[in-house]
Amino acid sequence: MALSMSLNALGMGESGAVDNIVGGEILCKKLMEMGFNKGAVIQVVKNDSGALIVKVGGTKLVVARGMAQKVMMREM
């Protein structure tokens, strides 16, 4: 079984599947509306400084570091 890590632990070009969201109800709802549902495959486009740019399906999204810290991923 793969260990969970936060989204911002993934490097540029790496992908993972959403395992869990560790946060309040409002944050969970917002992230789920953006496509961060359990099992969704997320690819990191940019992760250097500031916000992350990720690809969810065919859509690129900007995610604040604080939000990304709460998205737990399984490495693929």
Side-chain angles (χ1 to χ4, degrees):
M1 183 174 167
L3 296 174
S4 288
M5 67 186 101
S6 67
L7 174 58
N8 57 11
L10 294 177
M12 190 170 77
E14 293 184 322
S15 296
V18 176
D19 190 31
N20 191 21
I21 298 174
V22 184
E25 184 180 340
I26 293 171
L27 176 66
C28 289
K29 184 174 188 260
K30 181 176 181 77
L31 286 167
M32 289 175 78
E33 287 172 349
M34 293 169 67
F36 289 83
N37 301 303
K38 187 168 181 136
V41 176
I42 311 295
Q43 180 183 15
V44 176
V45 176
K46 176 188 166 286
N47 183 5
D48 47 19
S49 63
L52 280 74
I53 299 175
V54 297
K55 196 172 191 180
V56 181
T59 306
K60 286 185 182 175
L61 300 169
V62 176
V63 182
R65 261 191 200 284
M67 290 174 72
Q69 183 69 35
K70 298 184 184 300
V71 180
M72 303 308 292
M73 306 291 294
R74 288 187 319 272
E75 197 169 8
M76 296 184 70

